[in-house]
Structures are given as C-alpha cells and as structure tokens.
Amino acid sequence: MALNDISLCVARGELICLAGHSGCGKSTLLRVIAGIEMPDRGRVFLDGHEISGPNSYVEPEERNIGFMFQDYALFPHLSVTDNILFGLKRLERKAARARCHEIIDRLGLGHLARRFPHMLSGGEQQRVALARALAPQPQILLMDEPFSNLDRGLRDGIRSETISLLRELGTTVIMVTHDPEEALSSGDRVVLMRSGEIVQEGSGGDLYDRPADAYTAEFFSTFNKVQGACWNGFLETPLGRFKAPGFADGHIATLYVRPQCLRVNCDTLGVDCTVVDCALMGEIEQIRVSVAALAEPLKIRSTERLRLRSGDMARISVPPEQVFVF
C-alpha cells in the first residue's frame, strides 16, 4: 500500500515540504492530489470542493493545479515561449500571449524566450519549468524534487530564489524533497513520511528539536547512539545519567547525541576518552574518540580548533538538555 491513513490540510499561501526517504509515498501523494493517480479510498478537497472521492472525480486538467516534475518535462521541440504557452491553451490567443510575456518578464527569462531546452543550463531549465507551471495561475503548485537535478553549488542559490518568488506571489505549494536541509530551510511546515504514513509534522524547528521518534531524529541529523538501562526514570550509560521519563525499570533504551553536542574539555567533569583521529573539514573539525566501555568510537564535530592528535587523552561531557532517549 503506497499511502495509508493520510490526513493533511494545507492553508492558502502555505509552503509544505513533504520529506522522507525514497519509496515512502511522497510522490504518490502528489500524484493523488494532482489527479494522476486515483486513491482506493478517501477524499481530496481543493478550496472546499471535493475533487476526488467515492462518488466524484475531477480530471487533472480541470483541477487548476500546477505540477512541476523532477526532470522538468520540457518539450524538446518547443521554444521557451512555446513551452510556457502550452499550459495556456484554455485562454484566447491574445490573452495567452499576454500572460506568457508577463511570467517571462516576472522570472527574468526574456533573453531565453527563443531558445530550446537543449540550449539551456540546468538552472535555466528549472526556471522555465517553474514559469510554465505558474503561467495558468494555479490554486496550488506541486513540486516533485524540483532542485535535485542541479549541482550542489547552484542548487542553494536557485532554491532560495525560487522560494522567495513563490512567497512573494503568495503561491500555495507542496514540495517533495528527500534532502533534510532543504525541508528544514524551505517549508512553513515539514511533513515527514515513512511507509506511506505521516510520522510527524510541524515547523522545521519542531521536528529537529523535538523529534517524536528515532526515525524522525535520524532523518534530520547524524547521531552517536549509546545503549543503556533505565532505572527510576533515568537512563544509565557510560556517558552519564540522563532523564528517561516513561520507561520501565530495566528497559533497554538508546541515548542519541548529535556530534556537535559533545564537549571536549580538560577539567574534572566528564568521561575519560582517547583520541582515535582528528580531521579538519574546513570550518568544522571532526574528532573520533574511544571510551573504554563503548565498542564504537564517538564522533565529535566542533568549530573550535582543538588541535588534538591520535593517542591524546581527553575528557568529554554531554549537555543533558541536548540529548534524546528512544
């Protein structure tokens, strides 16, 4: 089952990021909303009107929903102008031309108007696909991994530009992404999916700072994981004692600690460790340390230049407010 018991409400002008690993149902949900796929049960409403349900089905072209595909799906034999005009067939020719030129000017595509898709860079193709999707002035815009085909250096700038434009236009957007950073930075609300279901939804800060479970925590960050036993509302671990309300005595749980939350110090606090290795990664220094009671080294990421070397002795501590117990 691709989707199961999905319930999602999107407000006018809201930008929603559907996040999750490949195969979790994100793109299927977009296709159901667009009308490309029909659900076995359930209903889809747009602006209060049922567009899909047991007794109703509105054809995709009648839904006034824009869809921007991952590969952009530009017609190779049509110019930029004609690609944009393709989505405006319902308008009279003069009105369609006026709307086409308006969106070309709005997105700064005038110098590309006569070119064909093979003559465009990846970023330019992305903007043309966006222009084509926005030209009919859809009530909602669906975007399926719209930035995944762009080089990393180009992606951040174009994404920021596109999101700013969509917010300025007041466009209602549902965007699919598998990139945690993109989800956290782009959406008014992030909806995390797994196996066809919604695991958690909320602001980026909600999901990053207050993950509901281990899956949510690990999707948005890397962690050191340390097992321990719970007693009297606390988890006992080789790194110390941490609050674990709701766990029964003797229950085995896991402490989740982000690498940037581990502190390296030389005072009497903390746990003794030995430096395994240290690597400079530009702004960040990554250090691996071994603790006697742990089978695997812990990773530490720091913006401080600690200048530690393999074999050095150190002490590490964990701020109790920056950990999770699952």
Tab-separated table of all heavy atoms in Angstrom, residues 15-72:
chain	number	residue	atom	x	y	z
A	15	LEU	N	3.596	26.959	2.364
A	15	LEU	CA	4.571	26.137	1.648
A	15	LEU	C	4.872	24.920	2.521
A	15	LEU	O	5.452	25.047	3.593
A	15	LEU	CB	5.847	26.925	1.352
A	15	LEU	CG	6.771	26.342	0.286
A	15	LEU	CD1	7.716	27.427	-0.260
A	15	LEU	CD2	7.613	25.177	0.801
A	16	ILE	N	4.456	23.753	2.036
A	16	ILE	CA	4.625	22.495	2.762
A	16	ILE	C	5.750	21.694	2.118
A	16	ILE	O	5.797	21.557	0.894
A	16	ILE	CB	3.335	21.659	2.705
A	16	ILE	CG1	2.182	22.399	3.377
A	16	ILE	CG2	3.542	20.287	3.335
A	16	ILE	CD1	2.279	22.491	4.859
A	17	CYS	N	6.640	21.159	2.923
A	17	CYS	CA	7.666	20.238	2.421
A	17	CYS	C	7.308	18.821	2.843
A	17	CYS	O	7.223	18.526	4.041
A	17	CYS	CB	9.044	20.599	2.974
A	17	CYS	SG	9.843	21.946	2.095
A	18	LEU	N	7.083	17.950	1.856
A	18	LEU	CA	6.900	16.527	2.122
A	18	LEU	C	8.275	15.887	2.089
A	18	LEU	O	8.942	15.892	1.049
A	18	LEU	CB	6.024	15.879	1.054
A	18	LEU	CG	4.529	16.170	1.039
A	18	LEU	CD1	3.871	15.403	-0.103
A	18	LEU	CD2	3.886	15.790	2.358
A	19	ALA	N	8.726	15.358	3.215
A	19	ALA	CA	10.067	14.803	3.310
A	19	ALA	C	9.999	13.317	3.639
A	19	ALA	O	8.991	12.815	4.138
A	19	ALA	CB	10.875	15.553	4.372
A	20	GLY	N	11.098	12.630	3.368
A	20	GLY	CA	11.176	11.207	3.670
A	20	GLY	C	12.080	10.507	2.685
A	20	GLY	O	12.446	11.061	1.650
A	21	HIS	N	12.450	9.282	3.012
A	21	HIS	CA	13.337	8.512	2.145
A	21	HIS	C	12.595	8.056	0.888
A	21	HIS	O	11.354	8.061	0.835
A	21	HIS	CB	13.889	7.300	2.904
A	21	HIS	CG	14.733	7.664	4.082
A	21	HIS	ND1	15.904	8.392	3.962
A	21	HIS	CD2	14.578	7.430	5.419
A	21	HIS	CE1	16.438	8.574	5.159
A	21	HIS	NE2	15.655	8.007	6.060
A	22	SER	N	13.351	7.648	-0.120
A	22	SER	CA	12.762	7.166	-1.370
A	22	SER	C	11.800	6.017	-1.095
A	22	SER	O	12.097	5.129	-0.288
A	22	SER	CB	13.865	6.696	-2.329
A	22	SER	OG	14.699	7.775	-2.687
A	23	GLY	N	10.651	6.053	-1.764
A	23	GLY	CA	9.681	4.984	-1.618
A	23	GLY	C	8.720	5.137	-0.453
A	23	GLY	O	7.914	4.240	-0.192
A	24	CYS	N	8.761	6.288	0.235
A	24	CYS	CA	7.897	6.451	1.415
A	24	CYS	C	6.490	6.929	1.050
A	24	CYS	O	5.618	6.987	1.911
A	24	CYS	CB	8.536	7.400	2.424
A	24	CYS	SG	8.523	9.135	1.910
A	25	GLY	N	6.264	7.295	-0.214
A	25	GLY	CA	4.925	7.702	-0.642
A	25	GLY	C	4.769	9.181	-0.952
A	25	GLY	O	3.659	9.635	-1.275
A	26	LYS	N	5.849	9.953	-0.897
A	26	LYS	CA	5.770	11.409	-1.121
A	26	LYS	C	5.227	11.727	-2.522
A	26	LYS	O	4.258	12.482	-2.664
A	26	LYS	CB	7.162	12.063	-0.964
A	26	LYS	CG	7.894	11.747	0.301
A	26	LYS	CD	9.222	12.493	0.378
A	26	LYS	CE	10.192	12.170	-0.743
A	26	LYS	NZ	10.682	10.780	-0.735
A	27	SER	N	5.864	11.177	-3.530
A	27	SER	CA	5.464	11.477	-4.907
A	27	SER	C	4.087	10.913	-5.223
A	27	SER	O	3.321	11.515	-5.979
A	27	SER	CB	6.508	10.933	-5.897
A	27	SER	OG	7.747	11.605	-5.731
A	28	THR	N	3.758	9.767	-4.646
A	28	THR	CA	2.422	9.189	-4.851
A	28	THR	C	1.352	10.129	-4.311
A	28	THR	O	0.313	10.330	-4.942
A	28	THR	CB	2.321	7.824	-4.154
A	28	THR	OG1	3.322	6.945	-4.683
A	28	THR	CG2	0.945	7.206	-4.360
A	29	LEU	N	1.607	10.727	-3.151
A	29	LEU	CA	0.654	11.671	-2.578
A	29	LEU	C	0.460	12.872	-3.505
A	29	LEU	O	-0.667	13.334	-3.713
A	29	LEU	CB	1.132	12.131	-1.197
A	29	LEU	CG	0.228	13.113	-0.453
A	29	LEU	CD1	-1.191	12.587	-0.339
A	29	LEU	CD2	0.798	13.420	0.926
A	30	LEU	N	1.555	13.378	-4.092
A	30	LEU	CA	1.432	14.481	-5.054
A	30	LEU	C	0.559	14.076	-6.238
A	30	LEU	O	-0.297	14.842	-6.698
A	30	LEU	CB	2.812	14.899	-5.580
A	30	LEU	CG	3.716	15.798	-4.745
A	30	LEU	CD1	4.753	16.449	-5.639
A	30	LEU	CD2	2.945	16.865	-4.002
A	31	ARG	N	0.789	12.872	-6.736
A	31	ARG	CA	0.051	12.409	-7.922
A	31	ARG	C	-1.437	12.201	-7.617
A	31	ARG	O	-2.285	12.403	-8.484
A	31	ARG	CB	0.697	11.114	-8.445
A	31	ARG	CG	2.109	11.355	-8.977
A	31	ARG	CD	2.854	10.037	-9.214
A	31	ARG	NE	2.316	9.308	-10.339
A	31	ARG	CZ	2.666	9.509	-11.602
A	31	ARG	NH1	3.579	10.431	-11.900
A	31	ARG	NH2	2.134	8.800	-12.576
A	32	VAL	N	-1.742	11.811	-6.388
A	32	VAL	CA	-3.148	11.689	-5.983
A	32	VAL	C	-3.809	13.070	-5.939
A	32	VAL	O	-4.937	13.253	-6.400
A	32	VAL	CB	-3.250	10.981	-4.609
A	32	VAL	CG1	-4.652	11.133	-4.027
A	32	VAL	CG2	-2.901	9.504	-4.750
A	33	ILE	N	-3.082	14.040	-5.376
A	33	ILE	CA	-3.616	15.407	-5.313
A	33	ILE	C	-3.833	15.969	-6.719
A	33	ILE	O	-4.843	16.616	-7.000
A	33	ILE	CB	-2.664	16.317	-4.507
A	33	ILE	CG1	-2.592	15.862	-3.044
A	33	ILE	CG2	-3.107	17.775	-4.580
A	33	ILE	CD1	-1.493	16.526	-2.242
A	34	ALA	N	-2.870	15.682	-7.595
A	34	ALA	CA	-2.958	16.196	-8.968
A	34	ALA	C	-4.030	15.479	-9.788
A	34	ALA	O	-4.489	16.001	-10.806
A	34	ALA	CB	-1.608	16.062	-9.655
A	35	GLY	N	-4.420	14.273	-9.363
A	35	GLY	CA	-5.408	13.508	-10.129
A	35	GLY	C	-4.777	12.545	-11.107
A	35	GLY	O	-5.487	11.877	-11.874
A	36	ILE	N	-3.455	12.437	-11.084
A	36	ILE	CA	-2.767	11.498	-11.986
A	36	ILE	C	-2.998	10.065	-11.523
A	36	ILE	O	-3.041	9.136	-12.321
A	36	ILE	CB	-1.258	11.823	-12.033
A	36	ILE	CG1	-1.043	13.246	-12.558
A	36	ILE	CG2	-0.504	10.832	-12.909
A	36	ILE	CD1	0.385	13.741	-12.426
A	37	GLU	N	-3.150	9.877	-10.220
A	37	GLU	CA	-3.487	8.571	-9.669
A	37	GLU	C	-4.747	8.699	-8.829
A	37	GLU	O	-4.976	9.738	-8.187
A	37	GLU	CB	-2.334	8.023	-8.813
A	37	GLU	CG	-1.104	7.673	-9.627
A	37	GLU	CD	-0.097	6.874	-8.828
A	37	GLU	OE1	-0.463	6.298	-7.775
A	37	GLU	OE2	1.069	6.810	-9.266
A	38	MET	N	-5.552	7.644	-8.833
A	38	MET	CA	-6.801	7.653	-8.068
A	38	MET	C	-6.639	6.779	-6.822
A	38	MET	O	-6.235	5.621	-6.925
A	38	MET	CB	-7.958	7.131	-8.923
A	38	MET	CG	-8.315	8.042	-10.079
A	38	MET	SD	-9.704	7.394	-11.053
A	38	MET	CE	-11.019	7.422	-9.837
A	39	PRO	N	-6.975	7.309	-5.652
A	39	PRO	CA	-6.860	6.509	-4.426
A	39	PRO	C	-7.982	5.469	-4.337
A	39	PRO	O	-9.069	5.668	-4.890
A	39	PRO	CB	-7.002	7.562	-3.317
A	39	PRO	CG	-7.809	8.659	-3.931
A	39	PRO	CD	-7.443	8.680	-5.381
A	40	ASP	N	-7.711	4.352	-3.649
A	40	ASP	CA	-8.730	3.318	-3.471
A	40	ASP	C	-9.849	3.808	-2.555
A	40	ASP	O	-10.995	3.360	-2.668
A	40	ASP	CB	-8.096	2.053	-2.871
A	40	ASP	CG	-7.057	1.445	-3.803
A	40	ASP	OD1	-7.268	1.523	-5.024
A	40	ASP	OD2	-6.057	0.903	-3.317
A	41	ARG	N	-9.481	4.673	-1.618
A	41	ARG	CA	-10.494	5.229	-0.717
A	41	ARG	C	-10.002	6.594	-0.239
A	41	ARG	O	-8.869	6.972	-0.477
A	41	ARG	CB	-10.752	4.297	0.464
A	41	ARG	CG	-9.539	4.006	1.324
A	41	ARG	CD	-9.907	3.038	2.462
A	41	ARG	NE	-8.772	2.775	3.327
A	41	ARG	CZ	-7.903	1.803	3.133
A	41	ARG	NH1	-8.021	1.013	2.075
A	41	ARG	NH2	-6.896	1.614	3.978
A	42	GLY	N	-10.880	7.294	0.457
A	42	GLY	CA	-10.520	8.617	0.941
A	42	GLY	C	-10.988	9.709	-0.002
A	42	GLY	O	-11.525	9.438	-1.089
A	43	ARG	N	-10.782	10.953	0.406
A	43	ARG	CA	-11.248	12.095	-0.374
A	43	ARG	C	-10.172	13.165	-0.460
A	43	ARG	O	-9.361	13.307	0.443
A	43	ARG	CB	-12.511	12.684	0.254
A	43	ARG	CG	-13.710	11.749	0.246
A	43	ARG	CD	-14.909	12.379	0.917
A	43	ARG	NE	-16.093	11.532	0.776
A	43	ARG	CZ	-17.300	11.873	1.210
A	43	ARG	NH1	-17.481	13.044	1.815
A	43	ARG	NH2	-18.320	11.062	1.056
A	44	VAL	N	-10.210	13.915	-1.536
A	44	VAL	CA	-9.329	15.064	-1.723
A	44	VAL	C	-10.208	16.284	-1.976
A	44	VAL	O	-11.091	16.249	-2.844
A	44	VAL	CB	-8.359	14.856	-2.919
A	44	VAL	CG1	-7.460	16.079	-3.079
A	44	VAL	CG2	-7.516	13.595	-2.733
A	45	PHE	N	-9.967	17.345	-1.201
A	45	PHE	CA	-10.712	18.591	-1.357
A	45	PHE	C	-9.772	19.717	-1.765
A	45	PHE	O	-8.635	19.779	-1.279
A	45	PHE	CB	-11.394	18.979	-0.041
A	45	PHE	CG	-12.516	18.059	0.362
A	45	PHE	CD1	-12.257	16.920	1.101
A	45	PHE	CD2	-13.820	18.347	0.002
A	45	PHE	CE1	-13.285	16.071	1.481
A	45	PHE	CE2	-14.863	17.503	0.380
A	45	PHE	CZ	-14.590	16.357	1.120
A	46	LEU	N	-10.239	20.576	-2.641
A	46	LEU	CA	-9.490	21.764	-3.028
A	46	LEU	C	-10.403	22.968	-2.852
A	46	LEU	O	-11.455	23.060	-3.509
A	46	LEU	CB	-9.011	21.662	-4.477
A	46	LEU	CG	-8.236	22.866	-5.021
A	46	LEU	CD1	-6.970	23.118	-4.198
A	46	LEU	CD2	-7.861	22.656	-6.485
A	47	ASP	N	-10.011	23.863	-1.940
A	47	ASP	CA	-10.802	25.059	-1.657
A	47	ASP	C	-12.246	24.703	-1.305
A	47	ASP	O	-13.190	25.363	-1.737
A	47	ASP	CB	-10.752	26.000	-2.864
A	47	ASP	CG	-11.098	27.451	-2.483
A	47	ASP	OD1	-11.008	27.777	-1.282
A	47	ASP	OD2	-11.453	28.227	-3.376
A	48	GLY	N	-12.414	23.621	-0.543
A	48	GLY	CA	-13.742	23.216	-0.080
A	48	GLY	C	-14.530	22.349	-1.036
A	48	GLY	O	-15.595	21.840	-0.679
A	49	HIS	N	-14.018	22.144	-2.246
A	49	HIS	CA	-14.736	21.344	-3.242
A	49	HIS	C	-14.062	19.977	-3.388
A	49	HIS	O	-12.847	19.888	-3.545
A	49	HIS	CB	-14.752	22.058	-4.600
A	49	HIS	CG	-15.381	23.424	-4.547
A	49	HIS	ND1	-16.733	23.612	-4.379
A	49	HIS	CD2	-14.829	24.665	-4.625
A	49	HIS	CE1	-16.998	24.909	-4.359
A	49	HIS	NE2	-15.848	25.567	-4.504
A	50	GLU	N	-14.846	18.934	-3.352
A	50	GLU	CA	-14.295	17.574	-3.491
A	50	GLU	C	-13.864	17.339	-4.939
A	50	GLU	O	-14.661	17.476	-5.868
A	50	GLU	CB	-15.354	16.546	-3.084
A	50	GLU	CG	-14.812	15.118	-3.082
A	50	GLU	CD	-15.812	14.123	-2.540
A	50	GLU	OE1	-16.009	14.098	-1.307
A	50	GLU	OE2	-16.417	13.398	-3.352
A	51	ILE	N	-12.612	16.992	-5.110
A	51	ILE	CA	-12.095	16.731	-6.460
A	51	ILE	C	-11.769	15.255	-6.667
A	51	ILE	O	-11.479	14.825	-7.772
A	51	ILE	CB	-10.851	17.598	-6.771
A	51	ILE	CG1	-9.739	17.388	-5.727
A	51	ILE	CG2	-11.238	19.070	-6.859
A	51	ILE	CD1	-8.454	18.134	-6.046
A	52	SER	N	-11.809	14.488	-5.564
A	52	SER	CA	-11.601	13.046	-5.665
A	52	SER	C	-12.279	12.386	-4.470
A	52	SER	O	-12.092	12.811	-3.335
A	52	SER	CB	-10.112	12.706	-5.680
A	52	SER	OG	-9.908	11.306	-5.792
A	53	GLY	N	-13.073	11.370	-4.750
A	53	GLY	CA	-13.772	10.679	-3.673
A	53	GLY	C	-14.558	9.510	-4.221
A	53	GLY	O	-14.495	9.202	-5.420
A	54	PRO	N	-15.329	8.844	-3.353
A	54	PRO	CA	-16.090	7.670	-3.791
A	54	PRO	C	-17.055	7.971	-4.931
A	54	PRO	O	-17.293	7.119	-5.790
A	54	PRO	CB	-16.858	7.255	-2.520
A	54	PRO	CG	-16.102	7.857	-1.382
A	54	PRO	CD	-15.505	9.127	-1.919
A	55	ASN	N	-17.608	9.169	-4.946
A	55	ASN	CA	-18.623	9.496	-5.956
A	55	ASN	C	-18.250	10.687	-6.832
A	55	ASN	O	-19.106	11.262	-7.505
A	55	ASN	CB	-19.966	9.780	-5.263
A	55	ASN	CG	-20.439	8.613	-4.421
A	55	ASN	OD1	-20.497	7.490	-4.913
A	55	ASN	ND2	-20.743	8.870	-3.159
A	56	SER	N	-16.982	11.065	-6.787
A	56	SER	CA	-16.582	12.223	-7.599
A	56	SER	C	-15.136	12.070	-8.060
A	56	SER	O	-14.314	11.464	-7.379
A	56	SER	CB	-16.724	13.511	-6.780
A	56	SER	OG	-15.819	13.502	-5.685
A	57	TYR	N	-14.887	12.619	-9.227
A	57	TYR	CA	-13.515	12.643	-9.737
A	57	TYR	C	-13.402	13.767	-10.756
A	57	TYR	O	-14.101	13.774	-11.779
A	57	TYR	CB	-13.128	11.316	-10.395
A	57	TYR	CG	-11.753	11.361	-11.040
A	57	TYR	CD1	-10.601	11.384	-10.265
A	57	TYR	CD2	-11.637	11.420	-12.423
A	57	TYR	CE1	-9.359	11.449	-10.850
A	57	TYR	CE2	-10.389	11.477	-13.025
A	57	TYR	CZ	-9.248	11.498	-12.237
A	57	TYR	OH	-8.008	11.568	-12.807
A	58	VAL	N	-12.559	14.742	-10.455
A	58	VAL	CA	-12.308	15.849	-11.369
A	58	VAL	C	-11.023	15.535	-12.140
A	58	VAL	O	-9.990	15.203	-11.545
A	58	VAL	CB	-12.156	17.180	-10.595
A	58	VAL	CG1	-11.807	18.318	-11.551
A	58	VAL	CG2	-13.438	17.494	-9.823
A	59	GLU	N	-11.076	15.618	-13.448
A	59	GLU	CA	-9.908	15.325	-14.285
A	59	GLU	C	-8.748	16.271	-13.935
A	59	GLU	O	-8.977	17.433	-13.551
A	59	GLU	CB	-10.269	15.489	-15.766
A	59	GLU	CG	-11.275	14.481	-16.283
A	59	GLU	CD	-10.720	13.064	-16.345
A	59	GLU	OE1	-9.480	12.902	-16.381
A	59	GLU	OE2	-11.535	12.117	-16.352
A	60	PRO	N	-7.503	15.787	-14.079
A	60	PRO	CA	-6.338	16.606	-13.720
A	60	PRO	C	-6.343	17.994	-14.358
A	60	PRO	O	-6.029	18.990	-13.696
A	60	PRO	CB	-5.154	15.767	-14.219
A	60	PRO	CG	-5.643	14.360	-14.174
A	60	PRO	CD	-7.095	14.431	-14.502
A	61	GLU	N	-6.705	18.064	-15.625
A	61	GLU	CA	-6.677	19.349	-16.331
A	61	GLU	C	-7.768	20.306	-15.860
A	61	GLU	O	-7.717	21.499	-16.168
A	61	GLU	CB	-6.775	19.134	-17.847
A	61	GLU	CG	-8.033	18.458	-18.316
A	61	GLU	CD	-7.919	16.934	-18.351
A	61	GLU	OE1	-7.005	16.381	-17.693
A	61	GLU	OE2	-8.742	16.311	-19.048
A	62	GLU	N	-8.740	19.791	-15.103
A	62	GLU	CA	-9.833	20.631	-14.605
A	62	GLU	C	-9.593	21.101	-13.161
A	62	GLU	O	-10.408	21.833	-12.602
A	62	GLU	CB	-11.162	19.863	-14.664
A	62	GLU	CG	-11.574	19.390	-16.052
A	62	GLU	CD	-11.994	20.544	-16.946
A	62	GLU	OE1	-12.329	21.620	-16.403
A	62	GLU	OE2	-11.975	20.373	-18.188
A	63	ARG	N	-8.495	20.672	-12.556
A	63	ARG	CA	-8.280	20.937	-11.126
A	63	ARG	C	-7.590	22.276	-10.841
A	63	ARG	O	-7.514	22.701	-9.695
A	63	ARG	CB	-7.469	19.798	-10.498
A	63	ARG	CG	-8.193	18.471	-10.509
A	63	ARG	CD	-7.494	17.407	-9.687
A	63	ARG	NE	-8.260	16.161	-9.707
A	63	ARG	CZ	-8.088	15.149	-8.868
A	63	ARG	NH1	-7.157	15.222	-7.937
A	63	ARG	NH2	-8.829	14.055	-8.961
A	64	ASN	N	-7.049	22.894	-11.852
A	64	ASN	CA	-6.287	24.135	-11.679
A	64	ASN	C	-5.149	23.939	-10.665
A	64	ASN	O	-4.953	24.725	-9.741
A	64	ASN	CB	-7.182	25.291	-11.241
A	64	ASN	CG	-6.489	26.636	-11.377
A	64	ASN	OD1	-5.539	26.779	-12.161
A	64	ASN	ND2	-6.928	27.622	-10.621
A	65	ILE	N	-4.435	22.838	-10.862
A	65	ILE	CA	-3.270	22.514	-10.039
A	65	ILE	C	-2.038	22.467	-10.942
A	65	ILE	O	-2.045	21.793	-11.972
A	65	ILE	CB	-3.457	21.150	-9.329
A	65	ILE	CG1	-4.571	21.244	-8.282
A	65	ILE	CG2	-2.158	20.695	-8.674
A	65	ILE	CD1	-4.900	19.921	-7.600
A	66	GLY	N	-0.994	23.201	-10.570
A	66	GLY	CA	0.244	23.165	-11.325
A	66	GLY	C	1.128	22.033	-10.828
A	66	GLY	O	1.150	21.732	-9.635
A	67	PHE	N	1.848	21.397	-11.736
A	67	PHE	CA	2.727	20.281	-11.361
A	67	PHE	C	4.088	20.490	-12.012
A	67	PHE	O	4.185	20.585	-13.225
A	67	PHE	CB	2.124	18.946	-11.818
A	67	PHE	CG	2.623	17.752	-11.046
A	67	PHE	CD1	1.722	16.857	-10.486
A	67	PHE	CD2	3.974	17.507	-10.862
A	67	PHE	CE1	2.152	15.748	-9.758
A	67	PHE	CE2	4.423	16.412	-10.148
A	67	PHE	CZ	3.512	15.533	-9.596
A	68	MET	N	5.106	20.571	-11.194
A	68	MET	CA	6.473	20.730	-11.691
A	68	MET	C	7.224	19.430	-11.413
A	68	MET	O	7.452	19.054	-10.258
A	68	MET	CB	7.153	21.902	-10.995
A	68	MET	CG	8.520	22.225	-11.545
A	68	MET	SD	9.121	23.766	-10.817
A	68	MET	CE	10.844	23.662	-11.288
A	69	PHE	N	7.591	18.726	-12.485
A	69	PHE	CA	8.197	17.412	-12.354
A	69	PHE	C	9.696	17.504	-12.060
A	69	PHE	O	10.347	18.513	-12.333
A	69	PHE	CB	7.973	16.595	-13.625
A	69	PHE	CG	6.527	16.278	-13.895
A	69	PHE	CD1	5.751	17.136	-14.657
A	69	PHE	CD2	5.933	15.140	-13.376
A	69	PHE	CE1	4.412	16.858	-14.902
A	69	PHE	CE2	4.603	14.848	-13.617
A	69	PHE	CZ	3.835	15.712	-14.382
A	70	GLN	N	10.220	16.401	-11.526
A	70	GLN	CA	11.638	16.350	-11.156
A	70	GLN	C	12.551	16.592	-12.353
A	70	GLN	O	13.572	17.259	-12.249
A	70	GLN	CB	11.934	14.987	-10.521
A	70	GLN	CG	13.375	14.823	-10.056
A	70	GLN	CD	13.595	13.488	-9.343
A	70	GLN	OE1	12.667	12.715	-9.165
A	70	GLN	NE2	14.815	13.231	-8.945
A	71	ASP	N	12.187	16.029	-13.519
A	71	ASP	CA	13.039	16.186	-14.712
A	71	ASP	C	12.599	17.372	-15.568
A	71	ASP	O	13.053	17.528	-16.705
A	71	ASP	CB	13.045	14.894	-15.538
A	71	ASP	CG	11.651	14.512	-16.036
A	71	ASP	OD1	10.684	15.254	-15.741
A	71	ASP	OD2	11.530	13.483	-16.725
A	72	TYR	N	11.671	18.187	-15.030
A	72	TYR	CA	11.139	19.405	-15.655
A	72	TYR	C	10.171	19.122	-16.799
A	72	TYR	O	9.270	19.914	-17.054
A	72	TYR	CB	12.266	20.339	-16.131
A	72	TYR	CG	13.317	20.596	-15.092
A	72	TYR	CD1	14.668	20.645	-15.424
A	72	TYR	CD2	12.979	20.774	-13.741
A	72	TYR	CE1	15.643	20.873	-14.448
A	72	TYR	CE2	13.940	20.996	-12.772
A	72	TYR	CZ	15.272	21.038	-13.139
A	72	TYR	OH	16.226	21.250	-12.179
